[in-house]
Amino acid sequence: MLGASYALIALGFALVFGIMKKINLAYGSSLLLAASISVCLNEIFVLSIFVNFVTLLIFSVIINIYIERMCFAWHTGPAGILPSMIASFAIWMQLDELAFRLIPDRTHFFKGIELGSIEIGQLFIKIDALFHFAVAISAMFLLYLIMMKSKFGLLMRAASENANTAWFLGARISSLGISAFALAGLLGGLAAFLILSANSQITPMFGMWCTFKGLVAMMLGGVGSLIGAVLGGLILGLLEAFVLFKLGVEFRELATFGVLFLILIIKPGGLLGGKSFMLIQEIEERV
């Protein structure tokens, strides 16, 4: 259940990297700021859960489009990889500072879905966690349909392999960049709502937490691979749950990064990333 939320965050990173071959370091902070805005609005106007959810999604999309316009639209091609990453790091600090102004306390209440729990023998299951898992899986399936069955998805996949090919197919690369960031904002906003709803609280460190979890999950499954992002998120969730149960919370992060380093040594592109990189390189050489 936890891995499904990780997978949604990793998909946001994978979408941007797949289209632009660049990493958005400000992605986690965009989710923090969107959630912080929804929390502040809820404290002022006492919003319903649905309005709180929609507000978070809307601001997540807006902030991610802002990041694309400020950091990535101006730095195109291979020469723009390092400048765009540095720019996204600067935006990361900016968004974090804004979020800290909105939620200065250590923890703030987050209004989410609470459905209780059930016990089956010695197994304790939160019903809202099952609901979150079902929503996350449904979102992944919907993304799959968009990417594999629609013209928009075809152009996105073409751009991820080679921008010139996508241009010949009629794609506007700048518009695809905005669309990729907006879609990443939707996925991230959904993941943020599910995670914060399960915890019923938000802290100023939520943005950095999302960045680390999303990047680790994406690198585990395969950098730039959407299927790999889902696989990496599920593996990360299972690994953390197992280590937490067997060794305790103090070994959770140690085990996570240990497994990540091991996989990157064996397969530097991640579990499903190697073939994708080779295909991209081959297309670019031929063009």
Side-chain angles (χ1 to χ4, degrees), residues 27 31 53 57-58 60-61 64 180-192:
Y27 185 55
L31 307 183
F53 169 65
L57 287 186
I58 291 174
S60 180
V61 171
N64 273 277
F181 271 79
L183 191 53
L186 277 175
L187 292 171
L190 177 60

Side-chain angles (χ1 to χ4, degrees), residues 30-204:
S30 71
L31 307 183
L32 169 65
L33 180 56
S36 301
I37 294 173
S38 69
V39 167
C40 288
L41 291 177
N42 180 64
E43 291 177 352
I44 297 172
F45 300 107
V46 190
L47 306 176
S48 66
I49 294 176
F50 177 75
V51 174
N52 191 41
F53 169 65
V54 173
T55 302
L56 198 160
L57 287 186
I58 291 174
F59 279 101
S60 180
V61 171
I62 292 173
I63 295 169
N64 273 277
I65 292 176
Y66 166 76
I67 294 171
E68 193 275 337
R69 292 288 89 189
M70 293 296 293
C71 303
F72 296 87
W74 303 97
H75 304 290
T76 59
I81 294 177
L82 185 58
S84 63
M85 184 178 295
I86 295 174
S88 69
F89 178 78
I91 295 294
W92 176 0
M93 299 297 103
Q94 179 195 75
L95 299 181
D96 269 5
E97 185 63 27
L98 290 173
F100 294 163
R101 299 288 182 179
L102 294 175
I103 51 171
D105 297 334
R106 184 181 296 271
T107 59
H108 285 258
F109 171 73
F110 185 88
K111 180 182 289 187
I113 301 173
E114 297 182 8
L115 301 176
S117 60
I118 57 175
E119 292 186 34
I120 304 175
Q122 295 183 344
L123 186 62
F124 178 81
I125 301 175
K126 295 180 67 177
I127 299 177
D128 54 351
L130 285 175
F131 174 74
H132 296 167
F133 177 75
V135 171
I137 294 298
S138 299
M140 294 175 202
F141 180 70
L142 181 59
L143 177 64
Y144 170 80
L145 292 179
I146 293 174
M147 297 301 294
M148 302 304 294
K149 304 297 182 181
S150 67
K151 182 180 178 180
F152 170 75
L154 173 63
L155 294 177
M156 293 274 279
R157 288 185 286 120
S160 70
E161 298 293 353
N162 187 273
N164 291 328
T165 302
W167 185 81
F168 283 121
L169 290 174
R172 295 178 57 188
I173 303 302
S174 60
S175 298
L176 285 180
I178 294 176
S179 300
F181 271 79
L183 191 53
L186 277 175
L187 292 171
L190 177 60
F193 179 81
L194 296 180
I195 294 170
L196 295 174
S197 179
N199 296 329
S200 299
Q201 65 180 17
I202 181 174
T203 72

Side-chain angles (χ1 to χ4, degrees), residues 209 213 240-241 243-244 248-257:
W209 181 88
K213 297 299 181 182
E240 288 192 356
V243 172
L244 186 64
V249 66
E250 62 270 17
F251 289 95
R252 182 175 59 187
E253 305 300 333
L254 180 63
T256 297
F257 287 103

